[in-house]
Amino acid sequence: MSSYVSTASIRVRYAETDQMGVAYHANYLAWFEVGRTEWLRGQGWTYKEMESHGSRLPVIEAHCEYKQSARYDDEVEIRTTGTLLSLVRVKFEYELVRTADAGVVATGYTAHAVTDRGGKPHKLPERVRVLFQ
Amino acid sequence: MSSYVSTASIRVRYAETDQMGVAYHANYLAWFEVGRTEWLRGQGWTYKEMESHGSRLPVIEAHCEYKQSARYDDEVEIRTTGTLLSLVRVKFEYELVRTADAGVVATGYTAHAVTDRGGKPHKLPERVRVLFQ
Amino acid sequence: MSSYVSTASIRVRYAETDQMGVAYHANYLAWFEVGRTEWLRGQGWTYKEMESHGSRLPVIEAHCEYKQSARYDDEVEIRTTGTLLSLVRVKFEYELVRTADAGVVATGYTAHAVTDRGGKPHKLPERVRVLFQ
Amino acid sequence: MSSYVSTASIRVRYAETDQMGVAYHANYLAWFEVGRTEWLRGQGWTYKEMESHGSRLPVIEAHCEYKQSARYDDEVEIRTTGTLLSLVRVKFEYELVRTADAGVVATGYTAHAVTDRGGKPHKLPERVRVLFQ
């Protein structure tokens, strides 16, 4: 596992709330995506470039534990770490923290296959692989 | 304008509500998309096939007037009509009606360019064009 | 665990796809929500009524394993079962199956607290509790 | 119309793309919401406070013209202006501009009723009204 921890932040949109008055739980997975995008960018690489070079990281498993509700207009910090599971599998772990009071909103992870444009398994490019070490 | 009016229906998901306790307004545009998808299917064609044959209908204008709130678990009927504006422009009009009481929830329209895979303007294929007449 | 298995179905919306050409993974959690809504309805109860009586089922944990991609316009069947974990915890398990070829798209579960309107822990009402047995 | 123009920015999420490879058009309405939220905040007020004081601004009309596609990872600037239409109606206008090349991605507007918690028409509080002048 890389020791690099990225931090990104989002502000909860009205669009993301539900009638319980809190952020709808599926949105947390989209915030995780913001987290891993910034993890790559923070290390000098972007997922966009990676795609343009023919590699993709489809999600094969997602998990989230909801601790405290994120609410409309809350600023939430996304702390992300990355781990190489194998040459064709990576994992990102996330901690979502409310900026105002440092309350942990949620923790979770996503596991990803590495594939080519056509969805076939594919070794993670060396340039990206080193970021996980 | 074709005289064909398609009807499709959706049930409002909790995911689609917001903290005002009603369906968030941006979702109506996704419901419009369900409407035009079923308009095509109802006439023996699908947008999926159309894409696989190389034509696309990107939205160039969208408009919605919100009349009454759609709420969680409401069944909403989407009535759709289609008009050919030119060889490279089509328009769909929508009426959203709550099934339970026939209340009009919203009306709106979307205008679309016709393009090829690369986004270049492109004549609407004859097979699709006739559906609008 | 109740032996009742509900089936609901959704059709993948264009809105739900991403640029990988498949349904974006976070949407599966919204489909799970459709599954548990129909599980309750199929047993003569609705989540809407339950909320209006003052009980809520916020998600405290969500998990999904993605097996095969769901694609635009695919019809996906959602098979749902429910389990009572305690007087204040329930769990739903889901299997998403592509209707066309019976391919398993994903499996997953969500765990829920039972709370009152204010978010305080609360016993599951008897009328709902019996559905899980 | 107030001469105040707020600027906010968003980065297009993978979650917001569709299989055409661009941001799905309904998301622009959620970005408009980010724009008006920041318009209020930039003038020393927040929509969150406004709601907590009992006023709401439900959308009664939304319009968007799509000029150029916003794509994954693009940074988009949202320029927002506000107009008082009457004591119970306000309008926001938006221009979405790609940061990288200043290309106009879209323009649009939303019109809003002013209501109380129960959805009844309601005069815009003086403290908010002055922001529009």
Side-chain angles (χ1 to χ4, degrees), chain C:
Chain C
M1 180 172 138
S2 162
S3 59
Y4 177 66
V5 183
S6 66
T7 58
S9 81
I10 59 95
R11 191 182 282 278
V12 180
R13 300 175 184 174
Y14 210 89
E16 294 171 330
T17 63
D18 66 22
Q19 71 182 37
M20 229 182 282
V22 299
Y24 184 73
H25 66 284
N27 294 308
Y28 289 55
L29 298 195
W31 302 342
F32 286 176
E33 176 226 305
V34 172
R36 61 186 179 268
T37 294
E38 297 308 321
W39 186 89
L40 283 168
R41 194 190 322 279
Q43 296 199 89
W45 198 215
T46 66
Y47 186 70
K48 188 177 184 174
E49 281 176 282
M50 200 176 138
E51 274 207 347
S52 74
H53 290 186
S55 294
R56 296 176 177 197
L57 296 176
V59 176
I60 55 173
E61 191 178 336
H63 184 82
C64 187
E65 296 180 29
Y66 302 86
K67 310 294 190 184
Q68 295 179 38
S69 300
R71 293 175 185 276
Y72 169 59
D73 216 39
D74 280 354
E75 195 180 85
V76 175
E77 190 176 291
I78 308 162
R79 298 178 186 161
T80 307
T81 55
T83 311
L84 195 70
L85 297 180
S86 75
L87 285 176
V88 295
R89 288 280 183 280
V90 298
K91 183 181 184 179
F92 291 99
E93 290 172 88
Y94 313 92
E95 190 179 40
L96 302 184
V97 178
R98 198 185 301 109
T99 305
D101 64 358
V104 176
V105 166
T107 59
Y109 66 84
T110 52
H112 302 254
V114 187
T115 73
D116 64 15
R117 278 190 186 90
K120 297 236 172 72
H122 173 93
K123 278 190 200 167
L124 193 66
E126 173 68 10
R127 181 173 166 189
V128 183
R129 199 173 57 70
V130 295
L131 306 180
F132 287 88
Q133 288 171 329

Side-chain angles (χ1 to χ4, degrees), chain D residues 21-39:
Chain D
V22 299
Y24 185 73
H25 67 282
N27 293 309
Y28 289 55
L29 298 195
W31 301 342
F32 286 175
E33 176 227 305
V34 172
R36 60 185 179 268
T37 293
E38 297 307 322
W39 185 90

Side-chain angles (χ1 to χ4, degrees), chain A residues 40-67:
Chain A
L40 283 168
R41 194 189 323 277
Q43 296 199 89
W45 197 214
T46 67
Y47 186 69
K48 187 177 185 174
E49 280 176 283
M50 200 175 137
E51 274 207 347
S52 74
H53 290 188
S55 294
R56 296 175 176 197
L57 296 176
V59 176
I60 56 174
E61 192 177 335
H63 184 81
C64 187
E65 296 180 29
Y66 303 86
K67 310 292 189 186

Side-chain angles (χ1 to χ4, degrees), chain D residues 5-6 41-42 48-49 64 70 85 87 95 121 124:
Chain D
V5 183
S6 67
R41 194 190 321 278
K48 188 177 184 175
E49 280 176 284
C64 187
L85 298 181
L87 286 176
E95 190 179 38
L124 193 66

Side-chain angles (χ1 to χ4, degrees), chain A residues 21-128:
Chain A
V22 299
Y24 184 73
H25 67 283
N27 294 309
Y28 289 55
L29 297 196
W31 302 341
F32 286 176
E33 176 226 305
V34 172
R36 60 185 180 268
T37 293
E38 297 308 321
W39 186 89
L40 283 168
R41 194 189 323 277
Q43 296 199 89
W45 197 214
T46 67
Y47 186 69
K48 187 177 185 174
E49 280 176 283
M50 200 175 137
E51 274 207 347
S52 74
H53 290 188
S55 294
R56 296 175 176 197
L57 296 176
V59 176
I60 56 174
E61 192 177 335
H63 184 81
C64 187
E65 296 180 29
Y66 303 86
K67 310 292 189 186
Q68 295 179 38
S69 299
R71 293 176 185 276
Y72 169 59
D73 216 39
D74 280 354
E75 194 180 85
V76 176
E77 190 176 292
I78 309 162
R79 298 177 187 163
T80 308
T81 55
T83 311
L84 195 70
L85 297 180
S86 75
L87 286 175
V88 295
R89 288 281 184 279
V90 298
K91 183 180 184 179
F92 291 99
E93 290 172 88
Y94 314 92
E95 192 180 37
L96 302 183
V97 178
R98 199 186 300 107
T99 306
D101 64 357
V104 175
V105 167
T107 58
Y109 67 82
T110 51
H112 302 254
V114 187
T115 73
D116 65 14
R117 278 190 185 91
K120 297 234 172 73
H122 172 95
K123 279 189 197 165
L124 193 66
E126 173 67 11
R127 181 172 167 189
V128 182

